[in-house]
Every structure is written in C-alpha cells, then in structure tokens.
Amino acid sequence: MPVDLSGPLMSAFKKAKREYEEASQRGDMETARKKALECARILKQLSKYDEFNRESYLKKAKKWEALAKDIESGHFRKTKTKPMKEGSARPEKGKEEESEEDKFNAYVRNNLIAKSKVKWSDIGGLDEVKALLMETVVIAALQRPESIQPWKGILLFGPPGTGKTLLASAAAGSLNATFFSVKASSVLSKYFGESAKIISALYEVAREEAPSIVFMDEIDSLTTKRSGEQSEASRRMLATLLTELDGFQDKKSDRLILTLAATNTPWDLDEAVLSRFPRRIYVPLPDKKATKEIIKINTRGLDISKLDLDAIAEESVKRLYSGRDLKNLCQAAVWNMIREENPDLHKLAELPFEELRKRSLRTRPLEMRDFEEAFKKIKSPLTKKDIERYEKWAEEFGG
C-alpha cells in the first residue's frame, strides 16, 4: 500500500507558509515569492494523497502561484495578514487559509493534552520496565554521539490492569513533558478523512510542544490487521499514523517525541505497526514483591502493622490479580473496615455538606479479616491459559 505523506507534507506547508509571512512582513519579497511557490508545490503534492480534498488543494496551489506572480510583477507588497479569500490570489484579513488545520490542532490541544502528576514512585514493582523508560527520557536530554538515539516508539503489552497507562503517565509526569492521552474514541471520526487529519494534527502539536509523550491506549482499536474489508478512511488513517511513527522529520532533532502504545491483545496488531515499535515490553502481572509494594501504595495513610503482607501477596499471585485488581482489593478491605467502624455512616447523608465537614471518619488499623472479606469480592478475569499466551507472544515478538 502506498505511504500516505499528507501529514509530513502539511507540516512542510505550514513551515513554508510561516516563512512566507515572515519574509513578507520584513519586506523581503524575493524570499516571499520563493516561499509562495514552495507552498504551491507542496499543495500539489498534497492533492495526490487526499482524493477527498484534491480540488481544494489544487485551487489553493493556483492562488499561491498567482500570488508569486503578483510579487514578481511588483503588484504586491508586504502584508501582515494570513490570507486567502476564495477566488482571490491575495490575502484577506480574517480569512485564514488553513482554518481547517487550525481547527484540528485546536481539537488536539483542547481534548488530547492531559496533565500528569504521576511519579515513578507511585508505581509498585515493574522495575525493569520503569528502568527502560527512565533511560529513554534521560538519553533524550543528554549530550550524546549522533548514533545514540532514544527509542521513538515503545509498545507496552500484557493483561488488562497491569499498569501500562500508569507507566506512560509517570514518564510524562516525571519529565514534566506534554502528555497526549489518545484513545480510539478521541481519534476515530464518522466523517471521511477526519481521523487521518487528527493523527496528523496530533504529531504536529506534539512537535510544537516537545518534549512530548504521546500515549495511545488500546492501540489495537486503531490499528487492527489490514484486510480487504477495511474502509478507505481506516486505511488512510493507518497510513498517516505509520508515517508519523516513522518520524523522519525528527530523526536528527533533539526534540523528544516518544510514542508509548498499550495493548491487551498484541497479536491483533498490524505487522507494519509492530515494526514502528522496535521496543516491545511485556508488562506482566505483579509478582509477590511487587504485590506488597502495590498494597502499601494503596493503603497510604492507614495503619497496616497488623497485616501479613506476605500471606496477602501469596494469595493474590495465586489468584492472578493484576495491579488494578490489587487496588480494588485494598479498596474492598478498607471499606470493610470503614463500615465496621462507622455503622451509621449512610445516615449522615441527610446532613448538609458544611455540617459533614466538621466531622471525622472513624478508622482503625487494617486487619487480615478485612482482606479475607475482600478476597471474596474480587475475582480476576484471567486464567493461566491467558498468561501463557502473553508469555509465548513475548518470547516470540517481544524485544
């Protein structure tokens, strides 16, 4: 399948347009003329990759060519506006030519950028995975030989609830990087061609806001294996994503744009997508040591001196609990304690909020019986056969 270069070409167009405007404002009309012709050339190339907007791109290309002729003939002088009015070769104030691209960029800024306050210390266990991600962000910032480059794409795979999203949040939070949290629902559009444009805008904004961590949760929802049944819009979106993941615009750049992707079903991913994530890390269920750390994190502020953490961890590992299951286990145990110490808690719901703020919740140290009750309520959806499948895939394709 031909590679869709519309994303990188649009970035190149915006750069040429910006340079045209700067040259025009300072009165360097020869440079402005050359940049206008460059804009026209790029728009013609864009028309080859976007059949839906082909005519629009070609019309705009003609306007830029006409603008270059105006400049050459001396009929055009410097401007401070960002044109172009439909049917005119000249700029018009308030009519931004790239309003559509601006719209998608604004969508990304308003909907896909999230604040992350998660730190590495907030994650129990997963020491090897954390070490790799830490190395990646550190190398990106250090002075280094040209041949040493940080990973650009890392795939985190494993059972649900093992901390893949938390790892991505910690990478962004610890680095104080711009964090783009991307789900299929925020990218897939019912309108033809829009999904590809959102992907293009995503990486355009990520470059502008670098250092950036782009986290694609459940990437299998976006990039399942290609087949004859796949729609043209889906193929175009996938092609755009593959091009952006190649990141050829950033190969010699010091900007950190790290794409972290997570999936619970790595075997469903398109082979071309896998090739863009050379580092594939299995995020397993927590072992006994990690389980104890997770329990401590999720019971902060409470007295756990009466707990036998080894016994709880051993039972949790036997039940194939994920990190999410362990969090739910701790919550169930805590609520068992709360209800026992505050039997009439629900009756306080009749009081106004200001009155509730004057009162305190009664607590006691957590005990093993609290966790015994919690074990009855928390069930893992995983089986040993499921874990064996992940381990086999990791052995065959992980790296």
Side-chain angles (χ1 to χ4, degrees), residues 269-320:
L269 290 177
D270 184 276
E271 291 81 0
V273 173
L274 281 178
S275 70
R276 266 64 170 195
F277 291 94
R279 197 66 172 103
R280 303 161 204 154
I281 305 172
Y282 178 37
V283 185
L285 294 177
D287 57 16
K288 188 174 177 179
K289 177 184 176 184
T291 296
K292 290 195 290 184
E293 290 181 23
I294 294 171
I295 292 172
K296 290 177 182 178
I297 289 172
N298 285 284
T299 54
R300 284 173 179 166
L302 295 171
D303 185 348
I304 60 172
S305 59
K306 294 184 176 182
L307 296 180
D308 184 345
L309 291 180
D310 287 313
I312 296 173
E314 187 173 340
E315 181 65 21
S316 299
V317 171
K318 187 187 304 181
R319 290 170 175 259
L320 302 179

Short mmCIF file of all heavy atoms in Angstrom, two decimals, residues 269-320:
data_model
loop_
_atom_site.label_atom_id
_atom_site.label_comp_id
_atom_site.label_asym_id
_atom_site.label_seq_id
_atom_site.Cartn_x
_atom_site.Cartn_y
_atom_site.Cartn_z
N LEU A 269 -2.37 -6.76 16.33
CA LEU A 269 -1.78 -5.57 15.71
C LEU A 269 -1.29 -5.84 14.29
O LEU A 269 -0.79 -6.93 13.98
CB LEU A 269 -0.62 -5.05 16.55
CG LEU A 269 -0.99 -4.43 17.90
CD1 LEU A 269 0.27 -4.03 18.65
CD2 LEU A 269 -1.91 -3.25 17.72
N ASP A 270 -1.42 -4.83 13.45
CA ASP A 270 -0.91 -4.88 12.09
C ASP A 270 0.62 -5.02 12.14
O ASP A 270 1.29 -4.39 12.96
CB ASP A 270 -1.30 -3.57 11.38
CG ASP A 270 -0.88 -3.57 9.92
OD1 ASP A 270 0.29 -3.24 9.65
OD2 ASP A 270 -1.72 -3.91 9.08
N GLU A 271 1.16 -5.83 11.24
CA GLU A 271 2.60 -6.08 11.23
C GLU A 271 3.40 -4.80 11.01
O GLU A 271 4.48 -4.61 11.60
CB GLU A 271 2.96 -7.10 10.13
CG GLU A 271 2.47 -8.51 10.39
CD GLU A 271 1.00 -8.70 10.02
OE1 GLU A 271 0.36 -7.71 9.55
OE2 GLU A 271 0.48 -9.81 10.21
N ALA A 272 2.86 -3.90 10.17
CA ALA A 272 3.56 -2.64 9.91
C ALA A 272 3.61 -1.77 11.16
O ALA A 272 4.59 -1.05 11.39
CB ALA A 272 2.88 -1.88 8.77
N VAL A 273 2.56 -1.85 11.97
CA VAL A 273 2.54 -1.09 13.22
C VAL A 273 3.60 -1.64 14.18
O VAL A 273 4.35 -0.89 14.81
CB VAL A 273 1.14 -1.15 13.88
CG1 VAL A 273 1.17 -0.51 15.25
CG2 VAL A 273 0.12 -0.45 13.00
N LEU A 274 3.68 -2.96 14.28
CA LEU A 274 4.67 -3.57 15.15
C LEU A 274 6.09 -3.14 14.78
O LEU A 274 6.93 -2.91 15.65
CB LEU A 274 4.57 -5.10 15.08
CG LEU A 274 3.45 -5.75 15.88
CD1 LEU A 274 3.46 -7.26 15.65
CD2 LEU A 274 3.58 -5.44 17.36
N SER A 275 6.34 -3.00 13.49
CA SER A 275 7.69 -2.61 13.05
C SER A 275 8.05 -1.20 13.48
O SER A 275 9.23 -0.86 13.58
CB SER A 275 7.81 -2.73 11.53
OG SER A 275 7.05 -1.73 10.88
N ARG A 276 7.03 -0.35 13.74
CA ARG A 276 7.29 1.03 14.21
C ARG A 276 7.55 1.07 15.70
O ARG A 276 7.91 2.11 16.25
CB ARG A 276 6.10 1.94 13.88
CG ARG A 276 6.23 2.70 12.57
CD ARG A 276 6.27 1.79 11.38
NE ARG A 276 6.16 2.51 10.12
CZ ARG A 276 5.89 1.92 8.97
NH1 ARG A 276 5.70 0.61 8.91
NH2 ARG A 276 5.84 2.63 7.85
N PHE A 277 7.35 -0.05 16.40
CA PHE A 277 7.63 -0.12 17.83
C PHE A 277 8.72 -1.17 18.06
O PHE A 277 8.43 -2.31 18.44
CB PHE A 277 6.36 -0.47 18.60
CG PHE A 277 5.32 0.61 18.59
CD1 PHE A 277 4.31 0.60 17.64
CD2 PHE A 277 5.37 1.65 19.50
CE1 PHE A 277 3.35 1.61 17.61
CE2 PHE A 277 4.43 2.66 19.48
CZ PHE A 277 3.41 2.64 18.53
N PRO A 278 9.97 -0.79 17.79
CA PRO A 278 11.06 -1.76 17.92
C PRO A 278 11.26 -2.28 19.33
O PRO A 278 11.80 -3.35 19.54
CB PRO A 278 12.28 -0.97 17.43
CG PRO A 278 11.91 0.47 17.65
CD PRO A 278 10.45 0.55 17.40
N ARG A 279 10.82 -1.49 20.32
CA ARG A 279 10.93 -1.95 21.71
C ARG A 279 9.54 -2.35 22.19
O ARG A 279 8.63 -1.54 22.30
CB ARG A 279 11.48 -0.82 22.58
CG ARG A 279 12.02 -1.33 23.92
CD ARG A 279 13.25 -2.20 23.68
NE ARG A 279 13.92 -2.54 24.94
CZ ARG A 279 13.83 -3.73 25.53
NH1 ARG A 279 13.06 -4.66 25.03
NH2 ARG A 279 14.50 -3.97 26.64
N ARG A 280 9.35 -3.65 22.43
CA ARG A 280 8.07 -4.18 22.87
C ARG A 280 8.26 -4.83 24.24
O ARG A 280 9.04 -5.77 24.38
CB ARG A 280 7.54 -5.20 21.87
CG ARG A 280 7.41 -4.62 20.46
CD ARG A 280 7.34 -5.71 19.41
NE ARG A 280 7.77 -5.17 18.12
CZ ARG A 280 8.30 -5.90 17.15
NH1 ARG A 280 8.46 -7.21 17.33
NH2 ARG A 280 8.67 -5.34 16.03
N ILE A 281 7.56 -4.29 25.20
CA ILE A 281 7.81 -4.69 26.59
C ILE A 281 6.58 -5.38 27.18
O ILE A 281 5.48 -4.83 27.16
CB ILE A 281 8.16 -3.46 27.45
CG1 ILE A 281 9.34 -2.72 26.83
CG2 ILE A 281 8.48 -3.87 28.87
CD1 ILE A 281 9.63 -1.39 27.50
N TYR A 282 6.82 -6.54 27.68
CA TYR A 282 5.77 -7.29 28.36
C TYR A 282 5.60 -6.73 29.77
O TYR A 282 6.54 -6.70 30.56
CB TYR A 282 6.15 -8.78 28.40
CG TYR A 282 5.15 -9.67 29.12
CD1 TYR A 282 3.79 -9.44 29.04
CD2 TYR A 282 5.60 -10.74 29.88
CE1 TYR A 282 2.88 -10.26 29.70
CE2 TYR A 282 4.70 -11.58 30.54
CZ TYR A 282 3.34 -11.33 30.44
OH TYR A 282 2.45 -12.15 31.08
N VAL A 283 4.40 -6.27 30.07
CA VAL A 283 4.07 -5.77 31.41
C VAL A 283 3.27 -6.87 32.10
O VAL A 283 2.06 -6.99 31.88
CB VAL A 283 3.27 -4.45 31.34
CG1 VAL A 283 3.07 -3.89 32.75
CG2 VAL A 283 3.99 -3.43 30.47
N PRO A 284 3.92 -7.69 32.90
CA PRO A 284 3.26 -8.88 33.46
C PRO A 284 2.43 -8.57 34.69
O PRO A 284 2.41 -7.44 35.19
CB PRO A 284 4.46 -9.76 33.83
CG PRO A 284 5.50 -8.77 34.25
CD PRO A 284 5.32 -7.57 33.34
N LEU A 285 1.75 -9.60 35.17
CA LEU A 285 1.07 -9.49 36.46
C LEU A 285 2.12 -9.29 37.54
O LEU A 285 3.25 -9.79 37.42
CB LEU A 285 0.26 -10.75 36.75
CG LEU A 285 -0.94 -11.04 35.83
CD1 LEU A 285 -1.57 -12.37 36.23
CD2 LEU A 285 -1.95 -9.92 35.89
N PRO A 286 1.80 -8.58 38.60
CA PRO A 286 2.79 -8.35 39.66
C PRO A 286 3.17 -9.64 40.38
O PRO A 286 2.32 -10.49 40.63
CB PRO A 286 2.07 -7.36 40.60
CG PRO A 286 0.62 -7.54 40.32
CD PRO A 286 0.52 -7.90 38.87
N ASP A 287 4.47 -9.76 40.68
CA ASP A 287 4.92 -10.90 41.48
C ASP A 287 4.70 -10.58 42.96
O ASP A 287 4.10 -9.55 43.31
CB ASP A 287 6.39 -11.23 41.19
CG ASP A 287 7.32 -10.04 41.45
OD1 ASP A 287 6.88 -9.08 42.13
OD2 ASP A 287 8.46 -10.05 40.97
N LYS A 288 5.20 -11.44 43.81
CA LYS A 288 4.94 -11.28 45.24
C LYS A 288 5.52 -9.97 45.78
O LYS A 288 4.85 -9.24 46.53
CB LYS A 288 5.55 -12.47 46.00
CG LYS A 288 5.18 -12.53 47.47
CD LYS A 288 5.72 -13.81 48.10
CE LYS A 288 5.41 -13.84 49.60
NZ LYS A 288 5.91 -15.09 50.24
N LYS A 289 6.74 -9.63 45.36
CA LYS A 289 7.38 -8.40 45.83
C LYS A 289 6.61 -7.18 45.36
O LYS A 289 6.34 -6.25 46.13
CB LYS A 289 8.83 -8.36 45.32
CG LYS A 289 9.56 -7.09 45.71
CD LYS A 289 10.96 -7.05 45.11
CE LYS A 289 11.65 -5.72 45.42
NZ LYS A 289 13.00 -5.64 44.76
N ALA A 290 6.26 -7.16 44.08
CA ALA A 290 5.53 -6.02 43.53
C ALA A 290 4.14 -5.90 44.16
O ALA A 290 3.65 -4.79 44.40
CB ALA A 290 5.39 -6.18 42.01
N THR A 291 3.52 -7.05 44.44
CA THR A 291 2.20 -7.03 45.07
C THR A 291 2.24 -6.33 46.42
O THR A 291 1.36 -5.51 46.75
CB THR A 291 1.67 -8.46 45.24
OG1 THR A 291 1.48 -9.05 43.94
CG2 THR A 291 0.35 -8.48 45.99
N LYS A 292 3.27 -6.61 47.21
CA LYS A 292 3.39 -5.95 48.52
C LYS A 292 3.57 -4.44 48.36
O LYS A 292 3.01 -3.65 49.13
CB LYS A 292 4.55 -6.56 49.31
CG LYS A 292 4.29 -7.99 49.77
CD LYS A 292 5.26 -8.45 50.84
CE LYS A 292 6.66 -8.65 50.31
NZ LYS A 292 7.57 -9.19 51.34
N GLU A 293 4.34 -4.03 47.35
CA GLU A 293 4.54 -2.60 47.11
C GLU A 293 3.22 -1.93 46.72
O GLU A 293 2.92 -0.81 47.16
CB GLU A 293 5.58 -2.40 46.01
CG GLU A 293 7.00 -2.76 46.41
CD GLU A 293 7.99 -2.51 45.28
OE1 GLU A 293 7.68 -1.70 44.40
OE2 GLU A 293 9.05 -3.15 45.28
N ILE A 294 2.46 -2.61 45.86
CA ILE A 294 1.18 -2.04 45.40
C ILE A 294 0.21 -1.91 46.57
O ILE A 294 -0.52 -0.91 46.68
CB ILE A 294 0.59 -2.91 44.28
CG1 ILE A 294 1.49 -2.84 43.04
CG2 ILE A 294 -0.83 -2.46 43.93
CD1 ILE A 294 1.12 -3.82 41.95
N ILE A 295 0.19 -2.89 47.45
CA ILE A 295 -0.69 -2.83 48.62
C ILE A 295 -0.30 -1.66 49.51
O ILE A 295 -1.17 -0.91 50.00
CB ILE A 295 -0.65 -4.16 49.41
CG1 ILE A 295 -1.29 -5.28 48.58
CG2 ILE A 295 -1.35 -4.01 50.76
CD1 ILE A 295 -1.13 -6.66 49.19
N LYS A 296 0.99 -1.45 49.70
CA LYS A 296 1.44 -0.32 50.54
C LYS A 296 1.04 1.01 49.92
O LYS A 296 0.62 1.93 50.63
CB LYS A 296 2.97 -0.39 50.71
CG LYS A 296 3.44 -1.54 51.58
CD LYS A 296 4.97 -1.57 51.64
CE LYS A 296 5.47 -2.75 52.48
NZ LYS A 296 6.96 -2.82 52.49
N ILE A 297 1.16 1.12 48.59
CA ILE A 297 0.80 2.36 47.91
C ILE A 297 -0.69 2.65 48.06
O ILE A 297 -1.11 3.79 48.28
CB ILE A 297 1.19 2.29 46.41
CG1 ILE A 297 2.71 2.36 46.27
CG2 ILE A 297 0.53 3.41 45.60
CD1 ILE A 297 3.22 2.11 44.86
N ASN A 298 -1.50 1.59 47.99
CA ASN A 298 -2.96 1.77 48.03
C ASN A 298 -3.55 1.78 49.43
O ASN A 298 -4.77 1.84 49.59
CB ASN A 298 -3.64 0.69 47.18
CG ASN A 298 -3.50 0.95 45.70
OD1 ASN A 298 -4.18 1.80 45.14
ND2 ASN A 298 -2.61 0.21 45.05
N THR A 299 -2.67 1.72 50.44
CA THR A 299 -3.15 1.84 51.83
C THR A 299 -2.40 2.94 52.56
O THR A 299 -2.32 2.94 53.80
CB THR A 299 -2.99 0.51 52.58
OG1 THR A 299 -1.61 0.07 52.48
CG2 THR A 299 -3.91 -0.57 52.02
N ARG A 300 -1.84 3.89 51.80
CA ARG A 300 -1.11 5.00 52.41
C ARG A 300 -2.02 5.76 53.37
O ARG A 300 -3.19 6.00 53.08
CB ARG A 300 -0.60 5.96 51.34
CG ARG A 300 0.61 5.45 50.58
CD ARG A 300 0.94 6.38 49.44
NE ARG A 300 2.13 5.92 48.70
CZ ARG A 300 2.48 6.39 47.50
NH1 ARG A 300 1.75 7.33 46.92
NH2 ARG A 300 3.56 5.93 46.91
N GLY A 301 -1.45 6.14 54.51
CA GLY A 301 -2.21 6.90 55.50
C GLY A 301 -2.97 6.03 56.48
O GLY A 301 -3.59 6.55 57.41
N LEU A 302 -2.93 4.71 56.27
CA LEU A 302 -3.61 3.78 57.18
C LEU A 302 -2.59 2.91 57.90
O LEU A 302 -1.48 2.66 57.40
CB LEU A 302 -4.59 2.90 56.40
CG LEU A 302 -5.77 3.62 55.73
CD1 LEU A 302 -6.52 2.66 54.82
CD2 LEU A 302 -6.70 4.21 56.78
N ASP A 303 -2.96 2.42 59.06
CA ASP A 303 -2.10 1.54 59.85
C ASP A 303 -2.23 0.12 59.32
O ASP A 303 -3.30 -0.48 59.35
CB ASP A 303 -2.53 1.60 61.32
CG ASP A 303 -1.60 0.80 62.24
OD1 ASP A 303 -0.76 0.02 61.72
OD2 ASP A 303 -1.72 0.95 63.46
N ILE A 304 -1.12 -0.42 58.76
CA ILE A 304 -1.15 -1.78 58.22
C ILE A 304 -0.21 -2.71 58.99
O ILE A 304 0.17 -3.78 58.50
CB ILE A 304 -0.78 -1.80 56.72
CG1 ILE A 304 0.63 -1.23 56.50
CG2 ILE A 304 -1.80 -1.02 55.90
CD1 ILE A 304 1.14 -1.39 55.08
N SER A 305 0.15 -2.30 60.20
CA SER A 305 1.11 -3.08 61.00
C SER A 305 0.59 -4.47 61.38
O SER A 305 1.38 -5.37 61.67
CB SER A 305 1.48 -2.30 62.27
OG SER A 305 0.32 -2.04 63.06
N LYS A 306 -0.73 -4.65 61.38
CA LYS A 306 -1.30 -5.94 61.76
C LYS A 306 -1.47 -6.90 60.57
O LYS A 306 -1.92 -8.03 60.75
CB LYS A 306 -2.67 -5.73 62.43
CG LYS A 306 -2.59 -4.99 63.76
CD LYS A 306 -3.96 -4.91 64.42
CE LYS A 306 -3.86 -4.25 65.80
NZ LYS A 306 -5.17 -4.19 66.48
N LEU A 307 -1.11 -6.43 59.38
CA LEU A 307 -1.30 -7.26 58.19
C LEU A 307 -0.11 -8.18 57.96
O LEU A 307 1.04 -7.81 58.21
CB LEU A 307 -1.47 -6.37 56.95
CG LEU A 307 -2.71 -5.47 56.90
CD1 LEU A 307 -2.71 -4.68 55.59
CD2 LEU A 307 -3.99 -6.29 57.03
N ASP A 308 -0.39 -9.36 57.46
CA ASP A 308 0.66 -10.28 56.99
C ASP A 308 0.75 -10.09 55.48
O ASP A 308 0.04 -10.77 54.71
CB ASP A 308 0.28 -11.72 57.35
CG ASP A 308 1.38 -12.70 56.98
OD1 ASP A 308 2.30 -12.32 56.22
OD2 ASP A 308 1.30 -13.86 57.43
N LEU A 309 1.59 -9.15 55.06
CA LEU A 309 1.67 -8.80 53.64
C LEU A 309 2.13 -9.97 52.78
O LEU A 309 1.71 -10.11 51.63
CB LEU A 309 2.60 -7.60 53.45
CG LEU A 309 2.11 -6.26 54.00
CD1 LEU A 309 3.14 -5.17 53.74
CD2 LEU A 309 0.77 -5.88 53.37
N ASP A 310 3.00 -10.81 53.35
CA ASP A 310 3.46 -11.99 52.59
C ASP A 310 2.29 -12.92 52.27
O ASP A 310 2.18 -13.44 51.15
CB ASP A 310 4.54 -12.74 53.37
CG ASP A 310 5.87 -12.00 53.38
OD1 ASP A 310 6.30 -11.54 52.29
OD2 ASP A 310 6.45 -11.84 54.46
N ALA A 311 1.43 -13.13 53.24
CA ALA A 311 0.29 -14.03 53.03
C ALA A 311 -0.69 -13.43 52.02
O ALA A 311 -1.21 -14.14 51.15
CB ALA A 311 -0.42 -14.28 54.36
N ILE A 312 -0.94 -12.12 52.13
CA ILE A 312 -1.84 -11.46 51.18
C ILE A 312 -1.25 -11.51 49.77
O ILE A 312 -1.97 -11.80 48.79
CB ILE A 312 -2.08 -9.99 51.59
CG1 ILE A 312 -2.81 -9.93 52.93
CG2 ILE A 312 -2.89 -9.26 50.51
CD1 ILE A 312 -2.96 -8.52 53.50
N ALA A 313 0.05 -11.27 49.66
CA ALA A 313 0.70 -11.28 48.35
C ALA A 313 0.67 -12.67 47.74
O ALA A 313 0.42 -12.84 46.53
CB ALA A 313 2.14 -10.78 48.48
N GLU A 314 0.93 -13.67 48.55
CA GLU A 314 0.94 -15.04 48.04
C GLU A 314 -0.43 -15.44 47.50
O GLU A 314 -0.55 -16.04 46.42
CB GLU A 314 1.37 -15.99 49.16
CG GLU A 314 1.59 -17.43 48.71
CD GLU A 314 2.18 -18.30 49.80
OE1 GLU A 314 2.78 -17.75 50.75
OE2 GLU A 314 2.05 -19.53 49.69
N GLU A 315 -1.49 -15.09 48.23
CA GLU A 315 -2.84 -15.40 47.80
C GLU A 315 -3.20 -14.61 46.54
O GLU A 315 -3.86 -15.13 45.62
CB GLU A 315 -3.83 -15.08 48.91
CG GLU A 315 -5.28 -15.39 48.60
CD GLU A 315 -5.55 -16.88 48.39
OE1 GLU A 315 -4.73 -17.71 48.87
OE2 GLU A 315 -6.57 -17.21 47.75
N SER A 316 -2.76 -13.36 46.46
CA SER A 316 -3.05 -12.51 45.30
C SER A 316 -2.40 -13.04 44.03
O SER A 316 -3.01 -13.06 42.96
CB SER A 316 -2.59 -11.08 45.57
OG SER A 316 -3.25 -10.52 46.68
N VAL A 317 -1.14 -13.47 44.15
CA VAL A 317 -0.44 -14.04 43.00
C VAL A 317 -1.14 -15.31 42.54
O VAL A 317 -1.29 -15.57 41.34
CB VAL A 317 1.04 -14.30 43.34
CG1 VAL A 317 1.72 -15.09 42.23
CG2 VAL A 317 1.78 -12.98 43.58
N LYS A 318 -1.56 -16.13 43.48
CA LYS A 318 -2.25 -17.38 43.17
C LYS A 318 -3.56 -17.11 42.41
O LYS A 318 -3.95 -17.87 41.53
CB LYS A 318 -2.54 -18.14 44.46
CG LYS A 318 -3.10 -19.54 44.26
CD LYS A 318 -3.51 -20.16 45.58
CE LYS A 318 -2.36 -20.18 46.58
NZ LYS A 318 -2.78 -20.82 47.88
N ARG A 319 -4.22 -16.00 42.75
CA ARG A 319 -5.49 -15.65 42.12
C ARG A 319 -5.31 -14.87 40.81
O ARG A 319 -6.28 -14.44 40.21
CB ARG A 319 -6.33 -14.82 43.10
CG ARG A 319 -6.86 -15.59 44.28
CD ARG A 319 -7.48 -14.65 45.31
NE ARG A 319 -8.10 -15.37 46.42
CZ ARG A 319 -9.41 -15.57 46.54
NH1 ARG A 319 -10.25 -15.12 45.62
NH2 ARG A 319 -9.90 -16.22 47.58
N LEU A 320 -4.06 -14.67 40.39
CA LEU A 320 -3.74 -13.96 39.14
C LEU A 320 -4.27 -12.51 39.15
O LEU A 320 -4.82 -12.02 38.17
CB LEU A 320 -4.32 -14.70 37.92
CG LEU A 320 -3.86 -16.15 37.72
CD1 LEU A 320 -4.54 -16.75 36.49
CD2 LEU A 320 -2.35 -16.23 37.60
#
